[in-house]
Amino acid sequence: MFDIFCRAHHRPARKSTDHQLCDECETMLRYAHRRLDNCPFGDDKPVCSNCTIHCYSQRRREQVRAVMRYAGPRMLRHHPLLGLLHLWDMRRR
């Protein structure tokens, strides 16, 4: 999702095969990984919209929400299987 967002907003002139994130998106992604690694739900963590615990600070939550809002609908085109699995996970919980 971060790659889809970054490619559209921060590095549109680069080749579509270049998957390197900009510094801002890389920092956000590292933050998200750190927070998810410490999540008390572990592997049973629900999708963010259905979660009872806020993993991110308010500022980061808004940034990640913007990434998800943009990249979520585009997941089916870029990564169909991952997009379908995410939709399944949202409905399942």
Side-chain angles (χ1 to χ4, degrees), residues 41 46 48 50-54:
F41 290 115
C48 292
N50 296 337
C51 193
T52 57
I53 298 174
H54 295 295

Side-chain angles (χ1 to χ4, degrees), residues 33-79:
H33 281 292
R34 272 194 322 271
R35 299 303 299 167
L36 292 174
D37 286 344
N38 295 321
C39 180
F41 290 115
D43 290 338
D44 294 328
K45 183 187 180 342
V47 293
C48 292
S49 59
N50 296 337
C51 193
T52 57
I53 298 174
H54 295 295
C55 296
Y56 306 129
S57 68
Q58 183 64 34
R59 182 177 67 91
R60 293 287 189 183
R61 195 175 326 155
E62 293 301 319
Q63 291 173 329
V64 171
R65 187 175 290 139
V67 170
M68 290 183 194
R69 191 175 303 125
Y70 179 82
R74 291 159 179 84
M75 283 290 291
L76 290 174
R77 185 168 28 109
H78 291 276
H79 302 287

Side-chain angles (χ1 to χ4, degrees), residues 12-52:
R14 291 189 180 177
K15 296 179 196 173
S16 63
T17 57
D18 182 13
H19 295 289
Q20 186 175 0
L21 297 175
C22 70
D23 291 340
E24 179 183 347
C25 288
E26 183 67 36
T27 301
M28 263 197 308
L29 182 60
R30 280 197 309 264
Y31 175 81
H33 281 292
R34 272 194 322 271
R35 299 303 299 167
L36 292 174
D37 286 344
N38 295 321
C39 180
F41 290 115
D43 290 338
D44 294 328
K45 183 187 180 342
V47 293
C48 292
S49 59
N50 296 337
C51 193
T52 57

